[in-house]
Amino acid sequence: MQWSTEFTIPESNFPISHQSKILSMGSCFAQMIGQKMIDTKFDCLVNPFGTIFHPMILGDLLDHALFQDSIEEDGILERDGLFYYLGAHSDLYATSPEELAQKYATQLAKIKDYLDNGTHLILTLGTSWIYETEEFGRVANCHKLPQRHFSKKLVSLEDMYQHFSHIFGNFSRVYPNLKIILTVSPVRHIKDGIPENQLSKSQLRVLCSQLEGRFPAVSYFPAYEVMMDELRDYRFYKKDLIHPSEEAEDYIWEKWKKSYFSKETQTKTEELRKIKLELTHKPLNTRSESHRKFQQNLLQKLERLNREFDFSEEIEMVQKQFEM
């Protein structure tokens, strides 16, 4: 008996390999998929400004990175002795406005480097709903300020399309070889309301389709559809019933690998995943002969792989354990 509706995701025309240089930004899916690639030794920069939910905030940050804009002072706020920026997640903070401005510039420079030298840009769109202030405009994060400081609205599909058309148009001229992968986050924004979340996600899906149709460098990966159709059951969510469970993330990751990785890259990724598991292995008796043999075999694997990937830190760690 078939318990879910499966669909085939074709192999991408924009394959990713361990020679790729990848920037992943946006909602929680961008964080998840980017971190899994980092764990298997891909060169990937993930959410340098923290989790970003709204497409136009992502667009703003990419635009600021392209032109290396300075931080906007009217977006800086202080809370409990720390300084935050309305245009970024609370992961970006400092003990002074000057330090915050420097950190902001540093993160923009990192993005610029991955755009200048990168092969792939992954953007995960979370919601069409946005918060704004009269002084600053649209914000990435409210930083626990009282609700009275903000107004909330559903940004129109046309506004989002025009925003990204401008940015992707610039990218197509400055970065003609950069491949852009769009996804819609499978995370449910139910605080907006169930009907409101569905309306929001629908707009994002149409936006991705319109951008894919206009720009040859843009493609779409159906993470949202996998969650909604193949994994249509609450057992595939965490306890909050909002975020995909670890099992759901692993399932979507497998779909991602089959779509974007060659057979050779898939094999190499699996080998690196097993190495990561071995590195986290915790024996009952660290002085046993069997564990010493395990460490010796692991060290040999690391030294072999170190010719292709940087395992210097891991080799040093295992060597120290082996010598104890």
Side-chain angles (χ1 to χ4, degrees):
M1 184 176 291
Q2 187 173 347
W3 292 100
S4 67
T5 305
E6 295 186 15
F7 62 96
T8 301
I9 303 174
E11 291 184 11
S12 173
N13 294 323
F14 308 151
I16 294 172
S17 72
H18 282 95
Q19 286 69 52
S20 302
K21 190 178 180 74
I22 308 149
L23 171 61
S24 182
M25 295 176 62
S27 188
C28 301
F29 178 79
Q31 184 72 38
M32 183 275 287
I33 209 74
Q35 188 58 54
K36 284 185 178 295
M37 286 193 287
I38 289 174
D39 290 344
T40 46
K41 295 295 182 178
F42 287 87
D43 183 359
C44 188
L45 176 65
V46 180
N47 275 344
F49 284 103
T51 306
I52 303 294
F53 299 104
H54 199 275
M56 294 180 81
I57 301 296
L58 283 175
D60 289 339
L61 290 170
L62 290 170
D63 196 54
H64 295 325
L66 178 61
F67 296 101
Q68 290 295 283
D69 296 326
S70 300
I71 198 169
E72 297 179 45
E73 293 184 2
D74 56 359
I76 297 175
L77 60 95
E78 184 270 338
R79 193 186 78 237
D80 298 330
L82 294 176
F83 292 84
Y84 301 88
Y85 186 53
L86 289 172
H89 190 270
S90 55
D91 287 350
L92 183 78
Y93 66 91
T95 57
S96 70
E98 295 76 18
E99 183 188 8
L100 185 68
Q102 181 57 52
K103 285 187 174 182
Y104 181 81
T106 298
Q107 297 303 86
L108 282 185
K110 288 181 182 179
I111 294 176
K112 182 68 160 52
D113 174 62
Y114 271 77
L115 293 174
D116 287 344
N117 303 296
T119 58
H120 294 78
L121 169 63
I122 302 167
L123 297 177
T124 299
L125 316 182
T127 180
S128 302
W129 292 94
I130 202 166
Y131 290 88
E132 298 178 329
T133 69
E134 289 185 8
E135 300 80 12
F136 185 72
R138 50 182 173 260
V139 305
N141 195 285
C142 295
H143 301 295
K144 299 183 180 179
L145 289 178
Q147 185 66 43
R148 66 178 183 274
H149 291 285
F150 305 94
S151 60
K152 180 182 177 182
K153 73 173 186 180
L154 183 73
V155 179
S156 72
L157 174 61
E158 178 64 21
D159 284 349
M160 291 188 290
Y161 176 71
Q162 292 298 330
H163 185 67
F164 270 103
S165 292
H166 168 72
I167 293 164
F168 286 177
N170 285 338
F171 277 24
S172 66
R173 291 184 290 273
V174 181
Y175 309 117
N177 297 319
L178 183 69
K179 305 306 181 185
I180 302 172
I181 303 169
L182 299 178
T183 68
V184 173
S185 171
V187 176
R188 305 165 69 223
H189 290 251
I190 61 175
K191 288 185 178 179
D192 296 324
I194 297 295
E196 291 80 3
N197 176 64
Q198 289 300 96
L199 175 60
S200 165
K201 298 289 189 184
S202 298
Q203 288 201 153
L204 297 181
R205 182 62 187 92
V206 175
L207 174 63
C208 291
S209 179
Q210 290 181 341
L211 292 171
E212 185 180 24
R214 177 169 179 178
F215 296 97
V218 174
S219 66
Y220 177 75
F221 178 76
Y224 178 76
E225 289 81 352
V226 171
M227 193 71 204
M228 292 299 103
D229 284 281
E230 293 197 18
L231 304 178
R232 184 186 288 272
D233 193 302
Y234 276 114
R235 74 178 186 271
F236 295 115
Y237 286 88
K238 294 180 179 177
K239 289 183 179 180
D240 61 8
L241 303 182
I242 294 173
H243 293 85
S245 67
E246 184 176 340
E247 291 79 11
E249 290 178 347
D250 288 342
Y251 185 87
I252 297 173
W253 167 241
E254 290 300 317
K255 294 280 188 177
W256 175 272
K257 289 192 298 183
K258 290 178 181 178
S259 180
Y260 284 98
F261 298 171
S262 67
K263 297 295 184 183
E264 180 183 356
T265 302
Q266 289 182 51
T267 300
K268 185 66 67 176
T269 301
E270 179 61 18
E271 182 180 11
L272 293 167
R273 184 192 69 83
K274 291 178 179 178
I275 288 291
K276 181 176 173 61
L277 287 177
E278 290 185 30
L279 285 166
T280 58
H281 173 68
K282 294 183 178 180
L284 291 175
N285 182 5
T286 59
R287 297 180 179 276
S288 68
E289 184 61 27
S290 61
H291 180 60
R292 289 183 65 81
K293 288 182 179 178
F294 170 83
Q295 287 180 310
Q296 192 171 31
N297 289 334
L298 176 57
L299 193 57
Q300 289 174 352
K301 293 177 186 178
L302 292 173
E303 289 172 342
R304 174 177 56 82
L305 288 168
N306 196 49
R307 301 167 193 159
E308 185 177 358
F309 305 99
D310 182 9
F311 275 101
S312 54
E313 290 185 5
E314 291 89 343
I315 290 173
E316 183 180 0
M317 179 187 72
V318 175
Q319 284 176 335
K320 286 181 178 178
Q321 292 175 350
F322 189 75
E323 293 169 359
M324 289 177 62

